[in-house]
Every structure is written in structure tokens, then in C-alpha cells.
Amino acid sequence: MNVYADFQSRLAAMLEKRVAAGELLRDLDLDRFVVEPPRDAAHGDLSTNAAMVYAREIKLAGSTPRAFAESLSADLAREPDVLKIEVAGPGFINIVLKPEVYQQVLRTILVEGERYGAGPRSKSGPVNVEYVSANPTGPMHVGHARGAVFGDALANLLQFSGRDAVREYYINDAGAQVDVLARSAFLRYREALGEDVGPIPDGLYPGDYLKAVGETMAREFGPALREKPEPQWLPLARKRATDAMMAMIRDDLAALHIEHEVFASERELTGADGGVDRVREAIEALRAKGFVYEGRLPPPKGAPSDDWEDREQTLFRSTEFGDDVDRPLIKSDGGYTYFAGDIAYHKTKIDRGFLTLVDVWGADHGGYVKRMQAAVAALSDNRARLDIRLCQLVRLMRGGEPVKMSKRSGDFVTLREVVDEVGADAVRFIMLMRKNDAPLDFDLAKVIEQSQDNPVFYVQYAHARVRSVLRQGQAAFPDFDLAPSAFAGADLALLTDDGERDLMRALAQYPRTVLQAAEAHEPHRVAFFAHELATRFHAHWNRGKDLRSLRFVNENNGKLSYARLSLVTAVGLVLASALSILGVSAPEEMR
RNA sequence: GGCUCCGUAGCUCAGUUGGAUAGAGCAGCCGCCUUCUAAGCGGCAGGUCGCAGGUUCGAGUCCUGCCGGAGUCGCCA
């Protein structure tokens, strides 16, 4: 039940009738107006700009927005659930609803439970959400966490809003750096065989996490590989090292409650190990459409680069789709560029039937957005839409001081360390409280603080407080059935206090918030909603300190207590629902 | 130099896809605990929404140009 969407369609019907009656132009775009909660509660429960957005059409029909608003209000006033209506300013229509509407909202929440606000199954088809996609060359560090949490919450949000969402991870296991990884693992293999390898040379990965790979290889091969030439052991070491790294990364992600359904290997797409060369197929598909050619690029402008070599190469005509220059697909050594592999990967998404694609990248990849969108447009003949969400950097702090992250390898802070220290809930919620394209300070000291400075705690506490109140209510009235569905018999008309109304208004906005957050691909809106609802709940709870009569549980008034406990239950259900979209737990108590 | 993102209270950030008098939290000041967990709540004060134009009934939001910051700029991923 979405009050705003409900009135939106009723108004649309009224406008259509006027069009049919010849009062307005024929092809009126009925999506242009909105019905929204006014910023100022004094303006009522609903507000619409319908009379103003069609000002031009209204003028043509010989009226004014204000007069048109008056006339629309007359129609709206006849709606059974409208209590009061008035035209304000240049033509806003403000609607005050009968209390029964909010009582109905409450009943809906109690019946639907955590499904309240969830969208009906969408007809827009499945969404593909690709996120994390970190190189399999070591453990995840905190920088990866933001995109990981963002992508995961976005997928949750899309699913809640009715889309099918598939979570994918693209494994960058084809480039030179995985060869470096393999050599690093081979060194650890020799070490595991008892050889003194000394300090790890520059250019190899020094992390201890490769020791286990070396030991596994020593057990598997014994000394057999040691004297072989590199071309013989490299593929073996690469396979074992990348497999081990992916297992480690999946473990790190699991600690954040993140699980992908599809892992796509770049190396597999290139056909390097004998499979079909999907990259070549993708390039040929683009060539067939006329978007691939052999040509030369102008040298980069600005800072002159020493190693610029003018040469003819295979180029994708991304400028056709708004990119600045065309982009190379084949490197000078004959291998595919990263971009070429990514094109092939995105082609598999399109081939699998996805027309809505979301990629979550670090902000340092911002320069690749246009070419990737160009490739998706070219591959799908403009049918697929690729939204790329860039996540800004995370600055790790402790008590206001930046945590030093030396470039010296092995000295970075791993994701696992942070999760072990502050917990998955804190990491997830903080990362989601900020818009993804704004930088974020993550303070290790603050996020475990139990105070209102810490939004994780604040929101979880609101939920715990709900549960506590319900326990108190049960203690005071042992006969009460506090199962959500049992509240059908509660007399909700008893909920007349401003604070209670305020809470119900907030609850009524949840479906709208979720819908908008899903459409905008902005899970942080759900986090802000949860925080806002928590604020209202804490505020109302506190009024019960001054005025005993406002407390949820009144020992000498069972009917009233029961009605209020139904409201408390609804608040708890919606908080739990929002938290579950964010992937954060809703605790029973905070101790 | 090109492109992308950002610029809102002293600080950290929201801002309902163009709506009404721009909102929270922190920090500051003033109040509220014989408690449904004060791990909280209320109040006061705080603003040329970077600057200048433009679009229209209406701009923090859209367009153009500047200023300032971050990222990025063929063969890294």
C-alpha cells in the first residue's frame, strides 16, 4: 500500500477525464506531475503540483493553474479518504487525509510484515549487478569494501522492489599481474621446499598469504617443478595461486555477508586455456556492426609521454557513442586489452538476456565509463542500459586521526582486519550512510561507540527498544497476543497523539522511499530513512517520560496499550525491513 | 590541456529526480534521569547553497562560462 502512488493514479484518472471532455490537450504526459509528502507537515499529508506542471496546457485551454487547482480540488474533495483540501501558493493542492488512511497503513504493515513496501514482480526484466571484481592477487583491503557493500545492498534493494537481481563478480585473472602472482607463489614453493629465498624481490607480491600456496604446491608436486623452465610451471602456479586468492576473497566477502551468484573469469573469456575465444567473438561482432577498424590514435594531449609510439592498431569506434577517442582492443604484444575482455564479458551479460546492467567501480576507473557504456550500446543496438556507479575512496580513521596505510606492500589494512575489529554491521551501515560518489571517512573508534554519534548503534538501538517495549507490554498484559497478525482486532482509532501520527506518516512513506531508492540505484536513501524513523521513535518514546499517559504500555488501559503496541510492532517491522535491505542485523537487545 | 565527479551551517553530510520559509547530526549554549535501557530526548544559535549568467510560474537541483578540490588521460586492472 503506497498512499502516494495511489493518489497519483487517482489524479491521473481525473486528468484523463478532463482530456476526454476536451478541457485539456489530447496528448498530456501524465508522468510529469508528482504526489509527494510536503516538506512542511503543516501543509498536510499529501501535496501535488499537478496544476502547475501543466500550466502551459491549462493556459492554452483558457484557464490558470490556480483556477485549475481549485477545480481539481473539488473532484479530490469527493474522494472518501480525503478530510480537507486546499490550494496554496501558485497552485499546490494540499490534502489532509482522514486518520483511517493511516490506520489502514498500519494494518497493511501488520499483515504484510517485512514484505511491506516490497514491489510487485517487475516487468522490466532481470538486473545484472556486477560489483567488487577485485584482482585475485591478494586479500581484500578496506577500499574494496565500499563497492562490495554498495553493490550488495543495491542488489537487495532491487530484489525488494520486485526486480530479479543477479550478483556477479568479474575475475581479472588474465593480465600480467596474475603472472607476477604466479611467480611470487613459485618463490614460496621453493621456500616451502627448504630453499632460502631471501627477501622477496621488488616487483613480486611479498605478502605472507602466498606461503600457504607455496606449501600446497610443495605437497602436490614435491621438487618436480623446481628445475623446470618457467613456461612449464607458470600455468600450474597461476591456477593454484588465483584459485587460492579467490577462495580467500570469497571468505573475506562472506565475513561481510556478501555472496555472488556468478563468478566470470576473464582468462576463460580469452580462451587462453583452450576454450572458445569469446573476446575474439565480441570483437568480430562489433566489427560486423562497423564499429571496429584498424587505425592510428592521436598522441595524448597535455603532459608529453616518453614512451608514446605511434602505431596502427585495432580500435573500437567508441566516439560513435559519445566517448572522446576511439579505444584500442589489442595490445602491442598481441594480447587483448583489458577493455576488450570487459567488452566480451558485457556481451555475455547481454546474451544472457540482461537489458539493465549495473557496474560498481572505484572512482579511479571513472575514465572508463564512457567507453564501457559505448560498448554496451554498440553490442545491444542501444537496447541495454548500463549504469555505472562510482564509489569514492574511503579514508580510514581512528579517533579522528587518519590510519596510515603505507605503500610498502603488506602494510595495508585488510578488509578482514576491519570487519574483525568493528563487525560487519558497522562496516555495512557506515558505508551505506554516504552517497556512493561522495568520499567517506571511516572512523574505527566511532563506529563501535554506543552513542547517538554512531548511526549504526542509533538505528539498531531503536529496533532493540521496540523489542524491549513489546517485552514490557507482554509482562504487563500476559494475555495479549503480540503476533503481528493478531493486531487485527486492535482499535487503531485510539492512536491520536501527534507523536503517534508522526510515526504513522513516516511508516506510510516507506514504500515510496524504497521505490525511489531502487529506481535511482541509491541504497543510501534507505539508510537515511531508517535513521529518520529511528529518530521519530526515540523522540516519541521520550515523550512518555514527561507524560506518562503517552507511554506505549498503560497498565490500567488495555485497549489503548494494545493499539499502541501494534504501532510499535509496525515500527519494528519496518526498521527490520530497512536494515535487512542494507544487510544489517536488527538486534533484540543491545547489551 | 581534455574528460568525469564534487563544492550546502564552524565540522561531517542529507535535500523526496524542478516545488512552498534549504534540513539533520556533531561541536557551542540552555534544559530534561524515584526510567516502557538517559547507550536517550527537547530548545536556542548558526546559511550570499563556490561565483556569474541563462531556461520558467518556481532553481541547491537543469544549461553555459568561470573559480576551487579529487580522480583519470593508448599498449595497468
Side-chain angles (χ1 to χ4, degrees):
Chain A
M1 172 180 187
N2 183 337
V3 179
Y4 308 92
D6 182 28
F7 268 82
Q8 177 106 25
S9 50
R10 285 197 233 174
L11 253 171
M14 291 176 188
L15 288 168
E16 257 176 341
K17 265 171 76 178
R18 282 156 192 269
V19 171
E23 254 184 84
L24 279 171
L25 289 183
R26 195 159 297 280
D27 46 355
L28 205 61
D29 179 1
L30 290 172
D31 288 332
R32 260 164 59 202
F33 74 98
V34 294
V35 176
E36 57 189 0
R39 223 187 284 258
D40 187 343
H43 291 142
D45 297 305
L46 303 175
S47 174
T48 180
N49 58 2
M52 290 180 297
V53 289
Y54 301 120
R56 189 169 294 139
E57 291 84 344
I58 290 164
K59 225 170 163 182
L60 280 172
S63 182
T64 65
R66 181 88 205 187
F68 190 76
E70 299 285 359
S71 147
L72 266 183
S73 313
D75 284 4
L76 281 164
R78 281 193 287 275
E79 294 292 309
D81 42 5
V82 169
L83 180 67
K84 213 175 78 185
I85 195 155
E86 58 185 22
V87 177
F92 289 103
I93 302 173
N94 293 329
I95 303 169
V96 179
L97 297 171
K98 291 185 179 163
E100 287 81 2
V101 177
Y102 288 113
Q103 294 165 19
Q104 188 50 45
V105 168
L106 216 52
R107 272 189 211 98
T108 306
I109 297 171
L110 294 165
V111 169
E112 296 183 353
E114 289 193 27
R115 290 294 300 162
Y116 168 67
R121 204 181 159 74
S122 166
K123 296 184 192 90
S124 314
V127 191
N128 186 293
V129 186
E130 178 203 334
Y131 56 107
V132 188
S133 297
N135 301 336
T137 53
M140 303 206 20
H141 59 261
V142 275
H144 294 123
R146 190 168 186 188
V149 170
F150 176 86
D152 193 58
L154 176 58
N156 288 346
L157 176 60
L158 289 167
Q159 281 177 326
F160 189 74
S161 78
R163 305 287 296 264
D164 278 332
V166 172
R167 301 141 196 268
E168 302 209 1
Y169 186 121
Y170 182 49
I171 309 171
N172 305 142
D173 54 0
Q177 82 286 3
V178 290
D179 288 346
V180 173
L181 179 78
R183 292 189 193 101
S184 310
F186 188 71
L187 196 66
R188 295 298 191 181
Y189 157 73
R190 283 165 45 200
E191 186 179 52
L193 290 173
E195 196 173 320
D196 179 10
V197 297
I200 306 299
D202 272 359
L204 291 188
Y205 293 102
D208 286 348
Y209 52 85
L210 284 171
K211 281 184 178 167
V213 181
E215 283 158 15
T216 309
M217 286 178 64
R219 273 196 301 278
E220 182 180 354
F221 299 106
L225 297 182
R226 200 196 307 212
E227 303 306 330
K228 294 262 170 66
E230 177 172 301
Q232 287 190 27
W233 56 255
L234 190 75
L236 299 170
R238 184 172 48 215
K239 174 89 169 81
R240 277 146 193 84
T242 52
D243 283 356
M245 295 305 103
M246 281 313 296
M248 186 166 64
I249 287 171
R250 289 165 88 140
D251 255 24
D252 289 350
L253 289 170
L256 272 178
H257 314 311
I258 292 170
E259 204 176 326
H260 293 80
E261 281 121 42
V262 176
F263 287 83
S265 156
E266 179 186 4
R267 188 171 177 82
E268 210 173 299
L269 289 169
T270 64
D273 299 323
V276 182
D277 187 344
R278 302 287 178 197
V279 184
R280 189 188 154 82
E281 284 185 358
I283 292 174
E284 290 317 312
L286 287 175
R287 197 190 296 275
K289 293 177 195 281
F291 296 127
V292 172
Y293 68 102
E294 311 298 319
R296 290 170 188 280
L297 284 179
K301 297 199 169 96
S305 116
D306 307 333
D307 52 356
W308 171 261
E309 170 205 350
D310 188 24
R311 67 179 186 92
E312 183 164 283
Q313 49 191 342
T314 304
L315 297 167
F316 167 55
R317 210 181 287 280
S318 53
T319 48
E320 196 82 10
F321 300 89
D323 199 2
D324 315 312
V325 289
D326 293 335
R327 304 294 177 176
L329 299 170
I330 314 273
K331 295 191 286 191
S332 54
D333 68 2
Y336 297 123
T337 59
Y338 177 78
F339 179 48
D342 219 358
I343 290 176
Y345 174 44
H346 282 75
K347 181 171 184 297
T348 71
K349 299 187 193 178
I350 294 164
D351 291 347
R352 282 179 285 147
F354 293 102
L355 291 179
T356 310
L357 310 179
V358 182
D359 285 5
V360 181
W361 294 355
D364 54 339
H365 292 57
Y368 290 78
V369 169
K370 280 185 180 174
R371 77 190 66 169
M372 201 65 245
Q373 287 175 328
V376 167
L379 286 166
S380 72
D381 301 318
N382 269 316
R383 286 179 310 128
R385 193 178 71 95
L386 170 62
D387 182 22
I388 299 177
R389 312 302 294 183
L390 299 178
C391 286
Q392 275 292 346
L393 298 180
V394 175
R395 279 199 312 168
L396 200 60
M397 320 275 280
R398 188 186 294 281
E401 295 298 312
V403 173
K404 270 191 248 147
M405 282 197 273
S406 144
K407 278 273 166 83
R408 207 155 37 87
S409 313
D411 198 21
F412 53 83
V413 179
T414 65
L415 171 64
R416 184 48 81 85
E417 284 167 334
V418 173
V419 174
D420 285 349
E421 182 172 337
V422 304
D425 283 349
V427 173
R428 293 190 63 117
F429 197 91
I430 297 295
M431 301 267 171
L432 292 169
M433 267 301 275
R434 201 105 305 165
K435 222 165 38 185
N436 57 289
D437 52 6
L440 165 70
D441 286 348
F442 188 92
D443 196 310
L444 290 165
K446 200 166 227 174
V447 299
I448 52 171
E449 213 171 84
Q450 301 207 328
S451 75
Q452 65 160 350
D453 297 16
N454 176 5
V456 194
F457 166 78
Y458 187 79
V459 174
Q460 287 188 317
Y461 179 37
H463 185 267
R465 179 169 263 174
V466 162
R467 306 303 301 170
S468 165
V469 170
L470 291 173
R471 283 191 296 270
Q472 297 283 344
Q474 188 75 82
F477 296 99
D479 295 343
F480 278 5
D481 184 350
L482 296 184
S485 56
F487 284 112
D491 182 2
L492 302 181
L494 296 173
L495 301 173
T496 53
D497 179 71
D498 280 350
E500 292 163 352
R501 255 184 85 83
D502 214 34
L503 277 170
M504 290 191 276
R505 279 170 62 99
L507 295 173
Q509 288 180 31
Y510 184 59
R512 182 174 189 270
T513 300
V514 166
L515 186 68
Q516 290 188 329
E519 279 174 356
H521 296 171
E522 289 183 353
H524 78 275
R525 296 193 194 203
V526 177
F528 274 90
F529 175 89
H531 192 267
E532 171 79 19
L533 181 57
T535 300
R536 287 171 197 252
F537 182 69
H538 285 311
H540 187 62
W541 183 91
N542 229 68
R543 276 181 208 118
K545 301 188 77 61
D546 291 336
L547 276 172
R548 267 197 109 76
S549 62
L550 287 181
R551 295 193 174 187
F552 299 118
V553 180
N554 281 28
E555 278 81 354
N556 46 15
N557 192 337
K559 271 189 78 173
L560 182 62
S561 299
Y562 198 58
R564 288 181 174 172
L565 288 176
S566 76
L567 174 60
V568 173
T569 300
V571 169
L573 284 167
V574 172
L575 278 174
S577 166
L579 286 171
S580 121
I581 289 173
L582 303 174
V584 175
S585 67
E588 291 293 307
E589 55 183 357
M590 296 305 287
R591 293 185 199 286

